[in-house]
């Protein structure tokens, strides 16, 4: 994730610029399905460029979940889940997605710990 714009509130639409390192990014505008402060942010998107596609065909639900740790720290769980008819045919998410998410997670960690 290179950029996220919009208001993180359930029912609003945010714009997300995504792209693994070294590859051309793509832009998706997607509805926020949950935005609970200090707990969870989630949105659900279809294939970039295929907003006309029904969610029952293919949807990627992306979420960040925060959990307090006993030592006063916070655990961030960052995940994406694919559902719909096409998701059953594809074993993995978008090409380079794991590398992009890992780069994002490391950048977020450095920022949070600074």
């Amino acid at each position: 994730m290179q950029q996220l714009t919009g208001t993180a509130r359930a029912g609003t639409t945010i714009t997300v610029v995504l792209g693994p390192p070294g590859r051309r990014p793509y832009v998706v505008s997607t509805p926020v399905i949950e935005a609970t402060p200090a707990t969870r942010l989630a949105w659900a998107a279809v294939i970039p460029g295929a907003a006309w596609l029904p969610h029952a065909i293919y949807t990627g639900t992306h979420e960040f979940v925060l959990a307090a740790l006993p030592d006063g720290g916070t655990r961030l769980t960052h995940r994406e889940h694919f559902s719909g008819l096409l998701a059953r045919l594809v074993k993995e998410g978008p090409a380079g997605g794991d590398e992009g998410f890992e780069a994002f997670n490391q950048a977020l960690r450095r920022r949070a710990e600074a």
Side-chain angles (χ1 to χ4, degrees), residues 9-81:
R9 185 173 53 243
T12 64
T13 298
I14 58 172
T15 300
V16 185
V17 179
L18 300 158
R23 296 204 180 135
R24 183 172 170 232
Y26 53 93
V27 179
V28 293
S29 290
T30 182
V32 175
I33 56 176
E34 184 179 338
T36 304
T39 304
R40 183 173 185 248
L41 172 63
W43 62 80
V46 295
I47 298 169
W52 52 268
L53 204 67
H55 284 261
I57 301 296
Y58 190 81
T59 302
T61 301
H62 198 104
E63 68 178 339
F64 300 94
V65 179
L66 300 173
L69 297 175
D71 66 0
T74 301
R75 173 177 291 123
L76 167 66
T77 301
H78 174 196
R79 61 183 162 226
E80 190 163 44
H81 171 75

